[in-house]
Amino acid sequence: MPGLLSSPACLTVIWLLSWSLHPSCAQIWTDEVSGVQYGRLESNVTLACGKSQVRIPVVWHLNHSSALPWHKVTSDGALVLLHVDHSAQGIYSCYDNRGLLLHSVKLRLGHPPGLLSISCQVPNHTHVRCSWVESVKTFLPAQYNASFRGTGEEWRPCVLDVIRKHCDVDHPAFWQTIHTLRITETNPLGFETTYVRFKLHELLKPNPPEAVLVKEQEGYPKRLIVSWKFPTSWPLHDAFPLVFQIRYRPEGSIYWSEIYSEESPVVIFDALAGHLHQVQIRARDEVNADSQWSEWSPLFLVQPWNVYTTPDLPPEERFPDYFFPFNTKPETSTEKSHNSVHDDKGNLGLVILLVLFSVVILITVPSLIYVMWVRQRRRGHVTKQELTSMVKMKSMPI
């Protein structure tokens, strides 16, 4: 018996019996989907049962199941889905009254395109990047076409990156007053074109400065040194210089101090000794007053040099206090450098001035005392003579 069941003739008979008992199953898994049909959400969608116009009774299944969304079947076998939503998506198959598959189609639902929300960035004078966001979520595959032109120019392509949803234009006509970008979105349910106009010189916005470094200056508890580099996206910095704004404040303060500079580095003279400081820097086109400031660089935290972090020096080796134009209090330094020669000359000059002043005082004061003594003596002599004359006059007979 086992040998009989395993014979080729018996196996063929068993396969034919199983196929005749389950014809629908055999057809479902062997026939492929004929294509894809697109429909609009929240509307009525009609699915035809193939191209045949023969009116025969048919049965529709969704994803190989007899359960269907709200629908009706027309006299020619077409399936009408009413007010469809996302749950109506799937593979629809129609069968004749014998269970044979007549047609199958995949249904995808969505919306036609709407206007796009477009924004453009101009990081330098040679490049424009425009990106967009869909105002309507279509749920369908889309294609885009983008072009760009200045006033009076021909349309030129804007190189697309559909995955990141942006396009790029190199070497735009910066001297043109107005520029226009148009982007057309197309999907199986329709298309929509969006236009946007802008002025490049008003959108010009450099990227933040790079390689920002803030460090202490040894020996100066109120100084910080800020250095940076031009953003790499600003290649023509010789032809188009940038101006930089540095802002800083002690941590916890709500007030910023600001410094403007065209070159790096910059020295902050009025940092608060012994306190952690927040420092940031940004850039703008120096020539174009209508351009925008870049975003601020990341926040940098640094504390000025602290006198207690190094061994104390003897009092006679310390330098005197110096005043700086931005300081509210004198800043001291114990740093020994090539500037000490100039400091020594200044001290020697001060000593000489003090000695000369002392000599002048010593000469002037005795002179004044002597002059006053002479004047007083003269006054005493005159008074004595007057008294003698008066006595002589009284002794004379009348």
Side-chain angles (χ1 to χ4, degrees), residues 59 74 106 113 137 141 180 229 233 237 286 303 331 358 395:
V59 177
T74 62
K106 183 177 181 179
K137 184 67 175 177
T180 305
K229 292 182 179 179
S233 59
H237 55 268
E286 182 181 5
Q303 183 172 335
E331 179 183 2
S358 301
S395 62

Side-chain angles (χ1 to χ4, degrees), residues 26-321:
Q27 291 293 332
I28 286 174
W29 296 110
T30 57
D31 287 1
E32 295 181 355
V33 176
S34 300
V36 179
Q37 181 172 334
Y38 296 92
R40 189 166 182 169
L41 284 166
E42 301 177 358
S43 66
N44 297 339
V45 177
T46 300
L47 302 176
C49 186
K51 299 180 180 179
S52 175
Q53 301 298 322
V54 180
R55 296 186 176 183
I56 57 175
V58 296
V59 177
W60 285 90
H61 290 173
L62 169 59
N63 296 330
H64 314 306
S65 172
S66 58
L68 291 173
W70 192 23
H71 69 284
K72 65 180 180 180
V73 179
T74 62
S75 59
D76 59 354
L79 176 67
V80 180
L81 302 174
L82 306 175
H83 302 289
V84 291
D85 57 21
H86 286 288
S87 64
Q89 293 187 122
I91 299 176
Y92 287 83
S93 306
C94 61
Y95 303 86
D96 63 10
N97 54 1
R98 295 176 299 170
L100 294 177
L101 177 65
L102 301 176
H103 181 72
S104 63
V105 63
K106 183 177 181 179
L107 177 63
R108 291 194 63 177
L109 300 171
H111 297 287
L115 292 174
L116 301 174
S117 176
I118 302 175
S119 61
C120 295
Q121 293 80 40
V122 186
N124 57 54
H125 293 79
T126 64
H127 186 76
V128 178
R129 169 166 290 182
C130 295
S131 56
W132 65 87
V133 176
E134 299 171 346
S135 60
V136 176
K137 184 67 175 177
T138 65
F139 304 102
L140 297 176
Q143 294 181 346
Y144 297 91
N145 181 273
S147 52
F148 181 90
R149 74 175 181 182
T151 304
E153 291 185 324
E154 297 293 330
W155 290 102
R156 56 187 293 192
C158 186
V159 182
L160 287 164
D161 186 335
V162 177
I163 296 177
R164 296 179 177 86
K165 294 185 178 179
H166 67 239
C167 70
D168 297 282
V169 177
D170 289 325
H171 303 288
F174 222 92
W175 57 88
Q176 296 287 348
T177 306
I178 302 293
H179 288 77
T180 305
L181 175 73
R182 67 179 181 187
I183 302 179
T184 300
E185 179 185 3
T186 305
N187 72 15
L189 298 181
F191 69 91
E192 185 71 56
T193 301
T194 305
Y195 292 85
V196 60
R197 303 177 70 196
F198 48 84
K199 299 178 180 179
L200 290 182
H201 67 279
E202 292 182 352
L203 293 180
L204 182 61
K205 181 179 180 179
N207 289 325
E210 300 176 0
V212 178
L213 179 63
V214 186
K215 60 182 181 179
E216 64 183 31
Q217 184 172 5
E218 186 177 355
Y220 294 90
K222 293 186 178 181
R223 291 191 188 185
L224 294 172
I225 302 176
V226 186
S227 61
W228 64 89
K229 292 182 179 179
F230 276 72
T232 53
S233 59
W234 193 270
L236 304 176
H237 55 268
D238 292 332
F240 302 100
L242 293 175
V243 61
F244 301 90
Q245 180 185 10
I246 303 98
R247 69 177 185 180
Y248 58 97
R249 65 182 179 184
E251 190 175 35
S253 173
I254 62 174
Y255 300 105
W256 293 95
S257 298
E258 298 176 349
I259 298 176
Y260 293 85
S261 177
E262 299 173 8
E263 297 181 354
S264 170
V266 165
V267 178
I268 297 173
F269 290 98
D270 58 348
L272 190 59
H275 287 76
L276 196 64
H277 283 68
Q278 300 173 339
V279 182
Q280 287 181 298
I281 182 171
R282 62 179 181 176
R284 194 188 72 181
D285 185 351
E286 182 181 5
V287 178
N288 182 6
D290 294 328
S291 63
Q292 303 179 35
W293 283 101
S294 73
E295 299 298 327
W296 288 103
S297 65
L299 200 64
F300 205 103
L301 294 177
V302 65
Q303 183 172 335
W305 177 84
N306 194 337
V307 67
Y308 300 108
T309 59
T310 58
D312 291 336
L313 297 175
E316 60 273 10
E317 295 185 15
R318 297 179 183 174
F319 288 93
D321 295 344

